[in-house]
Amino acid sequence: MIKTRLKEILEEKNLTINKVSNEAGISRPSLTALVNNDSGGIQFETLEKLTEYLNVAIEDILIQTKNEVKFIYKSTVSLASIKEVEEAEFKQKSKEKFVQVNPSEALPFKAFIRENESNGKPFYFVVSPLEKNQEIFGILINFYRIDKEGNQAATEDLEKFFSKLSTKGVIKFCNSIIKTWLQFYGEIEDVYNQLSEMIIIDMTIAEGTGKIPLVAYIKKKKRGKGIYLDFDFFEKISPIKGDQKYSDLIEFISIDTDPNYSDIV
């Protein structure tokens, strides 16, 4: 993505848009758009006027930035208080349209997607284990968006995001989410001894058509405590196409483990 450094250059030279517009012979709307990087393009004549007036090289004005996509999320229950919340009794009745459950049954997260320095609308997702005979054989990840009254809100942007993920992109997402969930769940239960050798991961979007089922084998680490998810079999049979270039750009960030983003969610 190509951007201009005009804002920084004008500040360094203590120049205003009006002054440059008048003295360099560039229309104020066009110059404002370039300064704010809202322009769809720049004409050679305009670029020549700017380099001459500002006494800078073309490479000082135009810079190329890498497209960035960040999926940033945080649990609505802190890791430090997870055990206390799990063991506490509900002290008040559930409000209409809201259901109270223990974190071990459904751990809620708040998230948003940051693309090219622009934050998308926040949404939520819940991670829930599926158990049988005290063994976890599956994990549900359900995405949704609600308004202030608790009503379902539009999720077309989420469906579009997940439709662009390649098989490797979906796997990268699952590894990030489940790693964080295991860290929380491990404070409540002995999760590593409850996991089945193979688990089904089902991702769904509420009020939408998106649904992504995955299969992973659980491999225990040879050293230390913990496990990793083996998606080799799923990669071979996956029907997911998606956009690999777009998926390669995505960084999945858990604020619970990365404090650099603690002031965003």
Side-chain angles (χ1 to χ4, degrees):
M1 184 175 183
I2 297 177
K3 294 185 177 182
T4 77
R5 289 191 61 255
L6 283 175
K7 184 176 182 179
E8 292 87 342
I9 293 173
L10 296 190
E11 290 176 351
E12 291 168 2
K13 294 180 177 291
N14 198 25
L15 294 170
T16 64
I17 292 177
N18 280 336
K19 181 176 177 64
V20 176
S21 173
N22 293 330
E23 296 183 359
I26 303 171
S27 71
R28 192 179 190 286
S30 295
L31 186 57
T32 300
L34 289 172
V35 169
N36 295 327
N37 282 298
D38 289 333
S39 175
I42 179 171
Q43 296 182 350
F44 288 122
E45 182 182 359
T46 301
L47 190 57
E48 185 177 8
K49 289 179 179 179
L50 286 170
T51 55
E52 290 179 358
Y53 178 81
L54 298 171
N55 191 28
V56 296
I58 293 176
E59 56 266 30
D60 293 326
I61 296 177
L62 300 179
I63 58 173
Q64 186 169 12
T65 61
K66 182 180 178 181
N67 291 332
E68 289 187 337
V69 183
K70 298 181 186 293
F71 186 105
I72 302 173
Y73 63 97
K74 179 179 176 62
S75 171
T76 59
V77 180
S78 73
L79 184 59
S81 65
I82 187 72
K83 194 169 185 178
E84 181 181 349
V85 173
E86 175 72 16
E87 294 175 350
E89 294 183 6
F90 298 132
K91 297 181 179 180
Q92 59 183 10
K93 294 181 179 179
S94 299
K95 296 180 180 179
E96 186 180 0
K97 298 180 182 177
F98 291 92
V99 179
Q100 291 179 310
V101 295
N102 288 329
S104 59
E105 298 174 88
L107 183 62
F109 292 85
K110 183 178 181 180
F112 68 90
I113 298 168
R114 181 177 178 84
E115 194 161 354
N116 295 328
E117 301 180 358
S118 179
N119 295 343
K121 293 181 179 179
F123 57 93
Y124 297 87
F125 65 92
V126 173
V127 181
S128 305
L130 296 176
E131 299 182 52
K132 185 177 182 180
N133 298 326
Q134 296 185 331
E135 184 178 68
I136 297 174
F137 67 89
I139 297 175
L140 298 180
I141 307 175
N142 187 35
F143 300 87
Y144 62 97
R145 181 178 283 127
I146 55 175
D147 57 25
K148 293 180 180 179
E149 287 73 39
N151 298 309
Q152 291 283 354
T155 55
E156 287 87 352
D157 56 329
L158 299 183
E159 292 189 62
K160 182 179 179 180
F161 170 78
F162 282 107
S163 69
K164 292 168 71 174
L165 291 187
S166 65
T167 295
K168 290 185 181 295
V170 173
I171 290 173
K172 186 164 64 171
F173 168 80
C174 284
N175 273 319
S176 177
I177 299 299
I178 294 176
K179 178 182 177 181
T180 302
W181 173 76
L182 284 171
Q183 193 171 357
F184 276 83
Y185 199 93
E187 294 293 317
I188 304 169
E189 302 281 354
D190 184 10
V191 63
Y192 298 106
N193 288 324
Q194 293 181 23
L195 289 168
S196 171
E197 292 185 0
M198 183 184 77
I199 60 170
I200 299 170
I201 304 166
D202 203 350
M203 300 197 299
T204 61
I205 301 175
E207 298 297 314
T209 58
K211 185 171 183 178
I212 306 175
L214 298 89
V215 176
Y217 286 92
I218 302 297
K219 303 290 185 179
K220 291 187 178 181
K221 293 182 178 180
K222 294 182 179 179
R223 294 183 179 179
K225 184 179 180 181
I227 56 97
Y228 70 91
L229 303 177
D230 183 351
F231 287 98
D232 288 347
F233 174 73
F234 173 74
E235 281 196 73
K236 294 177 182 178
I237 64 170
S238 172
I240 299 172
K241 301 298 181 182
D243 185 337
Q244 187 59 55
K245 289 184 178 180
Y246 179 82
S247 297
D248 289 340
L249 295 174
I250 303 172
E251 183 179 1
F252 296 100
I253 300 168
S254 168
I255 295 180
D256 298 297
T257 56
D258 189 342
N260 293 327
Y261 294 86
S262 60
D263 61 337
I264 298 180
V265 171

